[in-house]
Amino acid sequence: MLDESAYGLQVPDKLILHQASQGDEQAFGELYRRYVGRIYNYIYYRTGNQFDAEDLTARVFFRAMRHITKYQDRGMPFSAWLYRIAHNLVANWHRDNSRRQEVGIEDVLIVQHDREHPERVLLRKEEQEALLDMIRDLPPERQDLLILKFVQNHSNAEIGQIMGRTEGAIKSLYHRTLLSLREKMRTSNDQNGKI
Amino acid sequence: MKFLSQLQRRLAPSKPDQQVDFSDLEADLQAVLQPVEPRPDYVDNLHQRLNQAYSQQMLVMEEDLAVRRAQSLLFGALGVLSLSMALFASMRFLIAVLSSIGLLVHVSQETRQKKARRALKATV
């Protein structure tokens, strides 16, 4: 059994996963440490608020813990399995909470306050909020793709592994997503112009 | 030539073209979709809860495993016992059948002999 300190980035997930499935508490702790941030970020951007993100992240890891002894390696990365659990829980959450969530997401908006005119800061914040709204209006798989690409900084190949698609399919989906976002932005600008 | 290509691009803006420049949109997305850090106390608290639940789960699993082992041993012993009983019973049955056949053969032979004796006496 390895000490928690013995786990480094060079220790592959597979080895730690094997130990965790054999009942090694520290190995499971290491998996948690590696993935809690990513899963939290994914859920945070899919739900739009901190409280549900924390609740659902906890549920993801509890579910993973219950099933880790039955985990079967099918050539996919462990993260894909965790993201799949998170995706299912978020889908259930959206089904149960059909009303729009309105709190929290503005906390994350990164706005350069320094040296900028307050009016300009406000304008930029509004633009970012509008963009986030547009992202949240996208189909779930496109939201997943944008979160994995921009928040998690995964490559197309990694996203393909996580989403169970080929790299080419991810590139194509990404292209279509950007096109549809741009179209939405145009429509929104046109409507604002008319008003 | 450059002017012509620009004009063509303007005339067909909605055509799915791989050359479309998304750098501005990608920059906006990068600005909006920034990683967020979960609260450290939340992370630590969840870690503790998971550790507790994990050890409990492993304990329960070990107990389950012990119970399953005992069950499988019991079922194995019962299986061997019932198999030997069935074997014993079938052997007894076979012996009973064979002995009844032998008895029947013996009785029929005796009756035939008696009949033959009677017939001989009658002729004498």
Side-chain angles (χ1 to χ4, degrees):
Chain A
M1 199 181 285
L2 290 167
D3 291 337
E4 196 159 21
S5 56
Y7 292 115
L9 284 173
Q10 70 277 9
V11 182
D13 281 358
K14 274 188 182 180
L15 179 64
I16 304 173
L17 186 59
H18 175 71
Q19 289 177 336
S21 65
Q22 301 295 310
D24 187 340
E25 189 179 309
Q26 285 181 339
F28 187 77
E30 173 63 15
L31 288 175
Y32 168 78
R33 196 187 60 75
R34 283 187 183 188
Y35 290 103
V36 65
R38 293 187 220 179
I39 296 298
Y40 176 84
N41 267 280
Y42 170 78
I43 297 174
Y44 181 81
Y45 277 102
R46 289 295 314 278
T47 57
N49 75 81
Q50 179 194 335
F51 304 106
D52 287 316
E54 288 183 353
D55 180 37
L56 291 178
T57 304
R59 282 200 226 173
V60 168
F61 282 97
F62 274 104
R63 191 173 281 190
M65 185 197 73
R66 277 199 299 275
H67 296 104
I68 200 154
T69 49
K70 295 170 197 162
Y71 177 83
Q72 287 181 334
D73 186 6
R74 290 172 184 163
M76 280 164 49
F78 175 66
S79 59
W81 186 61
L82 280 182
Y83 280 120
R84 178 56 45 193
I85 297 174
H87 174 88
N88 291 340
L89 284 172
V90 169
N92 289 345
W93 180 87
H94 277 293
R95 203 178 52 212
D96 297 341
N97 300 268
S98 51
R99 66 186 172 83
R100 165 83 57 194
Q101 300 291 312
E102 291 177 350
V103 289
I105 200 78
E106 63 269 19
D107 295 340
V108 77
L109 295 175
I110 310 297
V111 180
Q112 298 289 329
H113 292 283
D114 300 343
R115 296 175 208 156
E116 271 196 287
H117 194 276
E119 197 176 322
R120 195 164 176 175
V121 169
L122 195 68
L123 195 68
R124 187 178 292 180
K125 197 171 175 180
E126 277 178 5
E127 282 172 3
Q128 291 187 341
E129 278 176 15
L131 184 56
L132 270 175
D133 279 342
M134 283 173 201
I135 293 168
R136 274 182 279 161
D137 281 340
L138 290 171
E141 62 171 7
R142 293 185 179 191
Q143 289 184 47
D144 289 356
L145 171 59
L146 292 180
I147 294 166
L148 292 172
K149 197 168 187 68
F150 289 100
V151 182
Q152 321 273 21
N153 287 321
H154 284 305
S155 66
N156 285 339
E158 288 168 332
I159 296 171
Q161 279 192 317
I162 290 167
M163 293 176 73
R165 291 179 174 214
T166 61
E167 192 178 347
I170 294 298
K171 273 184 192 168
S172 167
L173 182 67
Y174 178 59
H175 186 78
R176 280 182 277 132
T177 305
L178 292 187
L179 278 176
S180 95
L181 262 180
R182 179 165 279 180
E183 192 55 42
K184 274 173 189 276
M185 286 167 97
R186 270 186 199 151
T187 318
S188 168
N189 285 343
D190 289 349
Q191 281 173 353
N192 288 342
K194 279 176 190 173
I195 293 164
Chain B
M1 287 297 282
K2 195 177 178 184
F3 172 74
L4 265 175
S5 65
Q6 279 178 349
L7 188 67
Q8 276 176 338
R9 196 173 285 179
R10 277 186 195 170
L11 285 172
S14 59
K15 193 179 173 185
D17 181 4
Q18 293 294 327
Q19 301 300 317
V20 179
D21 181 24
F22 287 118
S23 53
D24 54 338
L25 182 56
E26 284 180 320
D28 286 345
L29 285 168
Q30 193 65 69
V32 167
L33 296 172
Q34 290 281 327
V36 285
E37 284 293 319
R39 289 183 298 115
D41 57 326
Y42 161 76
V43 174
D44 292 341
N45 181 268
L46 181 58
H47 195 179
Q48 282 174 5
R49 281 163 57 206
L50 278 167
N51 274 351
Q52 281 175 359
Y54 191 74
S55 11
Q56 276 177 2
Q57 178 178 294
M58 288 303 153
L59 213 65
V60 169
M61 277 179 65
E62 276 172 19
E63 281 172 10
D64 278 356
L65 202 69
V67 169
R68 274 186 204 162
R69 267 186 204 151
Q71 275 179 343
S72 54
L73 271 174
L74 187 71
F75 282 126
L78 281 173
V80 169
L81 192 70
S82 54
L83 197 73
S84 53
M85 279 174 73
L87 199 69
F88 180 72
S90 57
M91 280 179 75
R92 287 289 302 261
F93 178 72
L94 196 68
I95 289 166
V97 167
L98 286 174
S99 56
S100 357
I101 290 170
L103 195 69
L104 279 172
V105 169
H106 181 72
V107 168
S108 63
Q109 275 180 352
E110 267 192 358
T111 18
R112 256 188 243 151
Q113 280 174 356
K114 275 180 188 173
K115 274 182 188 173
R117 270 182 220 148
R118 272 180 209 156
L120 196 68
K121 273 183 186 173
T123 49
V124 173

